[in-house]
Amino acid sequence: MGFDGFVTDLVYYGTLALALWALVDAVIRPASAYVAAGKLSKPAWLGITGVAALLLFVLGPLSFLGLPAVVAAVVYLVDVRPAVRSLKPGNNPW
Protein backbone atom coordinates (compact mmCIF):
# COMPACT_ATOMS: atom_id res chain seq x y z
CA MET A 1 0.00 0.00 0.00
CA GLY A 2 1.58 3.21 -1.15
CA PHE A 3 0.70 6.84 -0.99
CA ASP A 4 -2.24 6.38 -3.37
CA GLY A 5 -3.81 3.80 -1.09
CA PHE A 6 -3.30 6.04 1.92
CA VAL A 7 -5.04 8.98 0.21
CA THR A 8 -7.89 6.74 -0.98
CA ASP A 9 -8.40 5.39 2.53
CA LEU A 10 -8.24 8.90 3.97
CA VAL A 11 -10.94 10.12 1.57
CA TYR A 12 -13.09 7.02 2.21
CA TYR A 13 -12.98 7.19 6.01
CA GLY A 14 -13.17 11.00 6.07
CA THR A 15 -16.33 11.17 3.99
CA LEU A 16 -17.85 8.24 5.88
CA ALA A 17 -17.18 10.04 9.17
CA LEU A 18 -18.73 13.21 7.73
CA ALA A 19 -21.91 11.37 6.73
CA LEU A 20 -22.14 9.59 10.09
CA TRP A 21 -21.69 12.91 11.90
CA ALA A 22 -24.58 14.35 9.87
CA LEU A 23 -26.74 11.31 10.63
CA VAL A 24 -26.04 11.36 14.38
CA ASP A 25 -26.66 15.10 14.52
CA ALA A 26 -29.96 14.67 12.68
CA VAL A 27 -30.98 12.02 15.22
CA ILE A 28 -30.31 14.17 18.30
CA ARG A 29 -32.07 17.35 17.12
CA PRO A 30 -35.75 17.76 18.05
CA ALA A 31 -38.27 17.31 15.25
CA SER A 32 -39.98 20.60 16.01
CA ALA A 33 -36.75 22.52 15.35
CA TYR A 34 -36.70 21.39 11.71
CA VAL A 35 -40.20 22.74 11.15
CA ALA A 36 -39.48 25.97 13.02
CA ALA A 37 -36.33 26.52 10.95
CA GLY A 38 -38.28 26.03 7.73
CA LYS A 39 -36.31 22.97 6.64
CA LEU A 40 -37.40 19.50 5.54
CA SER A 41 -38.82 17.35 8.31
CA LYS A 42 -36.66 15.31 10.65
CA PRO A 43 -37.62 11.96 9.04
CA ALA A 44 -36.66 13.35 5.64
CA TRP A 45 -33.22 14.39 6.86
CA LEU A 46 -32.78 11.11 8.71
CA GLY A 47 -33.50 9.31 5.45
CA ILE A 48 -31.21 11.52 3.39
CA THR A 49 -28.27 11.31 5.76
CA GLY A 50 -28.86 7.62 6.44
CA VAL A 51 -28.87 6.74 2.75
CA ALA A 52 -25.81 8.93 2.24
CA ALA A 53 -23.91 7.13 5.00
CA LEU A 54 -24.97 3.74 3.64
CA LEU A 55 -23.92 4.62 0.08
CA LEU A 56 -20.57 5.89 1.26
CA PHE A 57 -20.01 2.76 3.34
CA VAL A 58 -20.94 0.37 0.54
CA LEU A 59 -19.80 2.19 -2.61
CA GLY A 60 -17.30 4.76 -1.36
CA PRO A 61 -17.05 8.44 -2.21
CA LEU A 62 -15.36 7.85 -5.56
CA SER A 63 -18.36 6.05 -7.04
CA PHE A 64 -21.20 7.38 -9.18
CA LEU A 65 -23.52 7.76 -6.17
CA GLY A 66 -20.74 8.64 -3.75
CA LEU A 67 -20.46 12.27 -4.75
CA PRO A 68 -24.18 13.04 -4.28
CA ALA A 69 -23.98 11.29 -0.90
CA VAL A 70 -21.11 13.55 0.16
CA VAL A 71 -23.01 16.60 -1.09
CA ALA A 72 -26.10 15.58 0.91
CA ALA A 73 -24.07 15.25 4.12
CA VAL A 74 -22.34 18.58 3.51
CA VAL A 75 -25.66 20.33 2.80
CA TYR A 76 -27.03 19.05 6.10
CA LEU A 77 -23.96 20.13 8.06
CA VAL A 78 -23.59 23.53 6.41
CA ASP A 79 -27.22 24.60 5.94
CA VAL A 80 -29.62 22.59 8.08
CA ARG A 81 -27.52 21.99 11.20
CA PRO A 82 -26.82 25.68 11.95
CA ALA A 83 -30.47 26.60 11.42
CA VAL A 84 -31.77 23.81 13.63
CA ARG A 85 -29.02 24.26 16.20
CA SER A 86 -29.75 27.97 16.64
CA LEU A 87 -33.23 27.19 17.93
CA LYS A 88 -32.98 26.50 21.62
CA PRO A 89 -35.47 24.11 23.24
CA GLY A 90 -38.22 26.09 24.85
CA ASN A 91 -37.68 29.15 22.64
CA ASN A 92 -40.65 28.59 20.42
CA PRO A 93 -40.87 31.45 17.92
CA TRP A 94 -44.53 30.71 17.24
Side-chain angles (χ1 to χ4, degrees):
M1 183 168 137
F3 182 72
D4 294 342
F6 173 73
V7 171
T8 303
D9 285 349
L10 184 67
V11 170
Y12 175 79
Y13 290 114
T15 55
L16 182 61
L18 188 81
L20 289 174
W21 176 27
L23 177 60
V24 169
D25 191 78
V27 167
I28 64 171
R29 302 292 170 197
S32 59
Y34 291 88
V35 176
K39 303 297 178 184
L40 289 176
S41 67
K42 181 175 183 170
W45 279 111
L46 288 175
I48 292 169
T49 56
V51 168
L54 181 66
L55 286 172
L56 288 171
F57 178 72
V58 173
L59 301 175
L62 302 176
S63 66
F64 179 70
L65 295 175
L67 182 61
V70 172
V71 169
V74 169
V75 165
Y76 176 83
L77 291 172
V78 172
D79 181 44
V80 178
R81 182 177 186 260
V84 173
R85 191 175 174 199
S86 69
L87 300 172
K88 304 284 190 248
N91 275 350
N92 191 357
W94 307 104

